[in-house]
Amino acid sequence: MAEAHQAVAFQFTVTPEGIKLQLSREVLKHIYLSGVTTWRKRAIQFKNGILTEVYPASPSSWLFMVIAIMSSMYARVDPSMGMIDSIKKVLPVSDYLTVQTQTVLSAILFATALWLSLILLLRYTLKALLSYHGWIFEPHGKMSASTKLWMSLVKMFSGRRPLLYSFQAALPRLPVPNIDDTIQRYLESVRPLLDDDQYKQMEIVATEFKKDQAPKLQKYLLVKSWWANNYVSDWWEEYIYLKGRGPIMVNSNFYTMDMLYTIPTHRQAARAGNVVHAILQYRRKLERGEHAPMRALGVVPMCSYQYERMFNTTRIPGLETDYIQHLRNRKHLVVYHQGRFFKVWLYYGGRHLLPSELEQQFQRILNDTTEPQPGELKLASLTAGNRVPWAKARQKYFNDGVNKMSLDVIETAAFFLTLDNEVHGYDPERPRTMDLYAKSLLHGTCYDRWFDKSFNLIVYKNGKIGVNTEHSWADAPIIGHMWEDILATDVFHLGYTEEGHCKGDINKGLTFPSRLQWDIPKACQEIIEGSYAIAKELADDVDFYCCVFDEFGKGLIKKSRTSPDAFIQIALQLAHFRDKGEFCLTYESSMTRMFREGRTETVRSCTIESTAFVRSMEDEACTNEQRLALFRRSAEKHQNMYRLAMTGAGIDRHLFCLYIVSKLLDIESPFLKQVLSEPWRLSTSQTPQHQLNLVDTQKFPKYVGAGGGFGPVADDGYGVSYNVVGENLITFHISSKYSSPETDSHRFGQNIRQAMLDIKALFNQNEDITTHKPYMAGQLHGLELTGQSQNIENL
């Protein structure tokens, strides 16, 4: 093939006169440009690394310090109080190191030491300031003088133009809550779910634990909190995610949808070309650490640790536990189409492929009519089934030869791309089409996603896109940050021609994408079929209902002086009670990223206050005034719990870590065992939205995201993700299992809709909401998705 010859840098011929070399100038030029790009990238990373390490100071401040010290010495003033002379006495005297040179060198060393000391002082001062969380507990729309002063100090010590990782060293560590407080909050959270006898028994068990076992376990946890950056995150990743032996498809991975109302182009290859190029631009800034860090209120920095493993990352299966493989500088991706795997290079001549070049490559794959090799079609179902068969198959059949080479290509790729043959999206005339869209993103055909990759980009035949994310390496706001960036870049910066193609010229010199080769024996094919059967049964059991709620949104909710998150959570409690006739343990995911390496915490949304409100809604004897008072009390309780979770005073992560310590010490705790085995029959989360505010939804109402979702956590429960879009739209993604006679996603979705309307009616009947000052969002609502519960069997 002509393309193969273009990939050869040189040829040689052996003749009687010797060896004749025939060098290709074009290829050597690209090799040279690749080298230049690599070294330029390293130089930028080195520079940004220095800027991050010395933040909030800057390298120029060192020069200023040296000049100031030297100037004072020439003015016969010793700012070091004799320390420069002490340093000078240590330095040797030689022909090359005169007395004058000694003096200058001593002054530079003193200035450097003073500069480093000031950096440490600034960091510890900033860390102390960031340990204050009183601002989050203040009334809505009000800010005390002390908080205003604190905010001014944080701004002053934060420096200018921070990079993504600039604040990492200044973030405080997650504190270990007091045992008494945790147990008290836990008992309060389960009170509405237990009758008097059950609650009394739980109090006895909790008291015995607090008196006998808790002090010893707490001491070990405190030691870990002093030593580790975060006393929760590594155990959370290992025991909740990596030790799980069941399928990660549906149970752990989550999805994010495209824009709700619009598709920029219906050309599949063109959409893939623009989006992949936008992702490469995002990755370049990420590798250089050039993204601005997320900050609450524009002031309080969030931890950026999870961004590090976004690309070039794969979850590797193991017999007892998986591990995460993260690499650097991967220059290819793997594309799946109609049962074939292709390797596509992302660079040409030391630069990223342009959108038009990527479109050309993807169109070549779409035009390829070759058949899958034996065992290739459903190969990816190994990543969708149970982990142990996949680990054994990987060791036995993918440990050498062509299979190992091809598997390495997949596992070292920047990410995984599926060019899907299906057509999906939201059609207002056929609302259930969004349910099929959600199911496709969550599990597809069970063999057209590589569920172990950090994320899978899916591009459908009609140009609609979505992403499926593996959960162990990060939480939803991280992938949501990238997703918001690339959607805005795709539509508003790159754009398309009138015919729907990517802008730019076609490059005929690109090497064709290469097929990955496989030699899969019959025995391995049987394992693949076994994994597929398990995954197919799991996927077919998922019942999805996606509800586009446009009767009102956060605009009206805020006018009622209520947090939108609290409003929706209370509506979910009302809907669940109407759906099942009972209350259940409810999981809402909060975040702890104000602390170093923080991930998530649980808000137990089913409270004494919320159940009292729900019962009042079903009690005809209650007046609307009474119901509204109970609602406000419930909303305030929910907000307070959310604030406690964000500031490290949650319940579940503390109890989880105490349980891990008890297992490591071989201490049996009936209390902890019962706590960790309680099922979350209602698992909820708010999809992170508009973290970057790149699109003005008032000006471009059609360019709003549809949110994302996850599978049901309990076999007889619901998974609910909600996305508060703009001022007048909320989307709900509801999942359950067909096999459970107790659940029905569509029925629950209708109950949610009615609950939202009924709560709104309380305000309409009791007060004019337009006359009140709107709710001021003083809290951070970047909530994490979670698709996996605290499964005690994983431990």
Side-chain angles (χ1 to χ4, degrees), residues 33-77:
L33 292 174
S34 292
V36 170
T37 301
T38 298
W39 285 104
R40 184 186 297 122
K41 178 180 177 181
R42 290 178 181 175
I44 294 173
Q45 289 176 333
F46 179 75
K47 180 198 74 173
N48 290 342
I50 292 176
L51 292 175
T52 298
E53 288 299 320
V54 303
Y55 200 83
S58 64
S60 59
S61 63
W62 172 82
L63 183 60
F64 174 81
M65 181 71 70
V66 170
I67 293 174
I69 295 296
M70 295 294 295
S71 300
S72 62
M73 290 186 65
Y74 279 108
R76 298 183 182 278
V77 176

Side-chain angles (χ1 to χ4, degrees), residues 88 92-104:
K88 186 165 61 173
V93 180
S94 67
D95 294 338
Y96 300 101
L97 199 62
T98 62
V99 174
Q100 185 176 5
T101 307
Q102 278 184 321
T103 303
V104 172

